[in-house]
Amino acid sequence: MKRLNVLLLLILLSVLLISGGRTPSITDSSIVHAIGVDRSDEGYLVTLQIFKPEAAGADTPIDISKANFKNISAAGKDMQECLYKLSGRAGSELFLGHMQLLVLGKDIEIGDISELVSPLRDDKSIYSGLYLACAENAGETVSFPIKENAVTAENYRLIIENAAARGSAFSARLIDIDNVLGECGALAMPYLEIEGEKGKQSLDVTGSVILSSHGFEGDIITPDECSCLSLLCRTYTGLTLPHELHLSSGLVPLSDISRDICFSKQSGRLCCDITLTATAGERLTDPEGVSAGLSEKLSRLLDKYLKDRDADAVRLFEQLRLREPALFARNKSRLYQLYDDTQFSVQCDILKS
C-alpha cells in the first residue's frame, strides 16, 4: 500500500512539472474542428476552422453572443509543412482530436491523397470516421458560417448526415480512403456548395463527386442519381423513391428494402444479377410502371459509372470480394476492365403497402 501511495505521488508530481504547476486549460491548444485543402503554387493551401475559447463568457464555456470559431490558412509543399506553419500562426499546439470534417478542393488529385492523409493517420487522437467532402474551394467552404457565430463543423456534419439519410448524396469517411479508395480506385463523397446572393447565402450538399485515378472527374452525381444508386447500398436505409419515377407530390418513403446481388458465369462471361424489392407508401399509384422505370434507370446508371467513368460509387466490389473472393483477387488490378466485360441485369419490384 505504501509503494502504491509513493507511485501515485510521483505521477502527480510529474503532471505538475509537465504543466508548470498549473491545471491544463482548454486555451493551451488550438482545437481544430475542420480542415480544407486546396492546391496552390507552393503545393497545398490548408485552411483550419478552429474553436475559439477566447469567446467564452465568465460563467459559461461559450458566450453565444460572440463568434466561437476562427479560420487560419497557410501554404506549403506538403500537409506536414502547412500544419507546422499553422501551429505558429495559431500561437499554440494544434489539437486534431475533435476534427469532424476534411474538405478537399476539386483540384486535388488521387496522387495527393496519401501525402495529405499521412499526418492525419499518424495522429492517434483523430477519429477515423470523420467525414470527407469535396468543394470547388475547400478553404472558403470551411470558413463559411452556416449559422451566425456557431461552431460550424458540427452543422456541416448534420448537413452531410441528413443528405446521406435521404439518399441524395453518398457519405465518405477518413477510413474509406484505405478500405474503399485503396481497393477499387474510386470513392464517392458529398459535394458542398455555397449558394445564393451575398448576404443570403447558404451551404448545402448538392450531390456527390467521385475521386478516381483521374481526380475529381466528370459531372456531379445529381441527388436524383444518388437516390437511385443508394438503393443498392446496404448502408443506406431511410430512402425514398426517386421523384421522377412517380407522379405524386411529396416524398414516397420506402421500407422493407431487400437487395440480392448474385454473380455467375454464363458462356465464359461474368454476369451480375441484382434484385431489389421494397414497399412504398400509399402515394404510389403505378407499382408496375415504377418498378420497370427504376430497373431501367439503375441499369443505365451502373453502365454510366462502372463502365464509362470507372467509378464504383455503389461499392459493388465489396459484394464481388465477399461472394467471389478468388475472382476478385485475380482481377483487383483490372477491376474496371472486369466490369466492362460484365453483363448487368437489374430487376426491381416496388410493392404498394
Side-chain angles (χ1 to χ4, degrees):
M1 187 68 180
K2 185 176 180 181
R3 291 179 63 185
L4 179 60
N5 290 335
V6 171
L7 179 60
L8 291 173
L9 180 61
L10 289 174
I11 292 173
L12 178 61
L13 288 173
S14 299
V15 171
L16 290 173
L17 288 172
I18 292 171
S19 62
R22 55 186 173 81
T23 302
S25 167
I26 193 172
T27 58
D28 292 339
S29 299
S30 293
I31 302 172
V32 178
H33 279 184
I35 295 181
V37 186
D38 297 287
R39 270 285 185 179
S40 74
D41 293 338
E42 293 184 49
Y44 303 103
L45 176 65
V46 176
T47 303
L48 304 184
Q49 181 192 110
I50 295 177
F51 173 69
K52 194 167 66 170
E54 58 263 34
D59 301 317
T60 59
I62 297 176
D63 181 355
I64 61 173
S65 67
K66 301 177 182 179
N68 54 37
F69 69 93
K70 65 180 179 181
N71 297 99
I72 55 175
S73 301
K77 68 179 186 299
D78 54 34
M79 176 68 90
Q80 197 69 51
E81 181 181 342
C82 291
L83 291 176
Y84 177 78
K85 290 180 179 179
L86 287 164
S87 181
R89 292 182 185 181
S92 59
E93 183 180 355
L94 300 178
F95 178 68
L96 304 178
H98 285 292
M99 187 174 151
Q100 299 184 43
L101 180 67
L102 172 62
V103 182
L104 303 174
K106 214 174 177 188
D107 52 0
I108 296 297
E109 299 178 357
I110 197 168
D112 300 324
I113 297 300
S114 178
E115 163 59 39
L116 293 174
V117 171
S118 180
L120 305 183
R121 284 199 191 99
D122 295 340
D123 190 331
K124 302 305 180 185
S125 70
I126 294 178
Y127 174 46
S128 62
L130 70 88
Y131 282 108
L132 302 178
C134 175
E136 185 70 32
N137 185 313
E140 182 180 310
T141 300
V142 299
S143 303
F144 184 78
I146 298 177
K147 293 183 179 178
E148 187 176 359
N149 298 335
V151 183
T152 59
E154 296 174 1
N155 293 303
Y156 291 146
R157 177 176 55 80
L158 291 175
I159 287 174
I160 290 171
E161 288 176 350
N162 288 337
R166 296 192 307 268
S168 59
F170 293 104
S171 64
R173 297 176 180 268
L174 183 64
I175 195 171
D176 292 331
I177 288 177
D178 291 326
N179 294 351
V180 179
L181 189 61
E183 290 286 345
C184 76
L187 177 61
M189 64 184 68
Y191 188 70
L192 296 171
E193 280 192 280
I194 300 172
E195 300 180 306
E197 300 176 1
K198 192 171 183 180
K200 297 181 179 179
Q201 292 177 313
S202 63
L203 186 137
D204 201 3
V205 177
T206 58
S208 293
V209 289
I210 296 175
L211 177 63
S212 68
S213 58
H214 308 291
F216 286 110
E217 187 192 36
D219 299 329
I220 295 171
I221 309 175
T222 67
D224 186 68
E225 288 181 327
C226 289
S227 67
C228 282
L229 289 168
S230 60
L231 290 170
L232 302 179
C233 303
R234 297 179 187 277
T235 52
Y236 302 103
T237 54
L239 301 174
T240 60
L241 195 64
H243 188 267
E244 69 174 49
L245 296 175
H246 62 89
L247 300 176
S248 59
S249 59
L251 300 176
V252 176
L254 296 175
S255 60
D256 302 322
I257 301 174
S258 174
R259 311 160 179 93
D260 184 52
I261 300 175
C262 179
F263 293 93
S264 62
K265 280 283 188 72
Q266 295 181 17
S267 302
R269 185 181 187 186
L270 182 66
C271 296
C272 178
D273 296 310
I274 300 172
T275 303
L276 172 71
T277 60
T279 302
E282 290 293 330
R283 287 196 181 100
L284 186 64
T285 56
D286 182 14
E288 292 184 3
V290 167
S291 298
L294 184 58
S295 299
E296 191 272 334
K297 181 161 187 178
L298 279 172
S299 295
R300 283 192 288 108
L301 289 175
L302 287 175
D303 282 345
K304 178 179 179 179
Y305 289 104
L306 290 179
K307 297 185 177 183
D308 298 341
R309 288 181 57 180
D310 291 352
D312 190 354
V314 298
R315 305 185 184 183
L316 195 63
F317 79 92
E318 293 177 337
Q319 293 299 313
L320 180 62
R321 182 177 58 192
L322 176 66
R323 297 169 185 266
E324 299 287 343
L327 180 65
F328 175 79
R330 289 197 305 271
N331 291 278
K332 184 178 177 181
S333 62
R334 55 179 298 274
L335 189 60
Y336 293 103
Q337 290 175 269
L338 180 66
Y339 286 154
D340 285 341
D341 298 332
T342 300
Q343 179 178 329
F344 291 96
S345 172
V346 181
Q347 179 63 47
C348 299
D349 191 8
I350 307 300
L351 308 174
K352 186 174 180 178
S353 60

